[in-house]
Amino acid sequence: KSTMENELLEKFKSALRAENMKFTPQRLSVLAEVVNNKEHRECEEIYLALRSAGDNVSRATVYRTMDILVTHDFARKIDIGDGRARYETKINHPHHDHMICIECGQITEFMSDEIETLQDEVCDEYNFKLIRHIHQLFGICSKCGDKK
């Protein structure tokens, strides 16, 4: 195993300890599934991916483990306004923002240095210390736009 994998594993074990939860192969498989995938998926999709890979993991374990992954900064929870939470890895996945299609729900990641710089300038102007931000653009993707 690489040093990075070992560090990730140790960080995960200590996150579980902090939540009074045991380190299990099932929880480890949830971590691996999330970290090795760059998609934006619901808990159910993560659960189904694990089941189809032959991992004998319960829905409850997926949901509980996802909560811990979010709390301890392994994953990000995304609300796109449809009442269903999506998750994405924060490990080896640099900061980015999202464009969300209100027709089909497709999520497109983008990164704009200009937007990042502008928001830092706005914060400076208002003497505001930015801790984190969520930038989401809602609209209609080209596929859905073409249908109209």
Side-chain angles (χ1 to χ4, degrees):
K1 268 190 196 150
S2 71
T3 328
M4 204 175 78
E5 281 176 36
N6 282 332
E7 280 173 24
L8 186 65
L9 198 56
E10 287 312 309
K11 191 180 165 210
F12 182 54
K13 285 177 178 174
S14 98
L16 288 169
R17 275 196 302 274
E19 302 293 335
N20 290 316
M21 290 169 85
K22 285 203 287 284
F23 174 79
T24 64
Q26 289 82 3
R27 293 199 175 114
L28 180 59
S29 66
V30 175
L31 173 72
E33 178 62 34
V34 172
V35 169
N36 296 321
N37 188 302
K38 298 282 189 257
E39 290 171 43
H40 309 89
R41 299 180 297 169
E42 295 173 53
C43 273
E44 185 66 13
E45 293 173 291
I46 294 164
Y47 166 74
L48 293 172
L50 286 163
R51 295 298 296 212
S52 71
D55 283 308
N56 189 18
V57 55
S58 73
R59 264 191 188 87
T61 295
V62 173
Y63 279 85
R64 280 200 298 267
T65 306
M66 288 313 299
D67 284 342
I68 288 165
L69 294 183
V70 170
T71 303
H72 293 268
D73 261 0
F74 294 90
R76 175 182 295 109
K77 188 177 187 174
I78 306 165
D79 176 5
I80 67 165
D82 63 358
R84 303 197 319 257
R86 310 291 192 296
Y87 297 86
E88 69 178 347
T89 181
K90 284 177 91 171
I91 309 296
N92 302 327
H93 200 39
H95 172 77
H96 57 273
D97 296 306
H98 297 112
M99 285 184 278
I100 299 149
C101 178
I102 60 172
E103 297 284 330
C104 70
Q106 179 189 305
I107 301 172
T108 305
E109 296 180 354
F110 73 94
M111 174 58 199
S112 163
D113 289 330
E114 289 159 288
I115 289 175
E116 298 296 319
T117 303
L118 198 55
Q119 71 197 12
D120 290 342
E121 288 169 6
V122 169
C123 288
D124 287 346
E125 191 181 319
Y126 286 87
N127 197 17
F128 184 79
K129 184 180 187 291
L130 183 65
I131 306 297
R132 61 187 173 86
H133 76 276
I134 300 163
H135 192 71
Q136 297 181 154
L137 305 177
F138 292 87
I140 296 171
C141 73
S142 58
K143 282 200 292 281
C144 292
D146 292 343
K147 286 183 212 155
K148 294 208 164 7

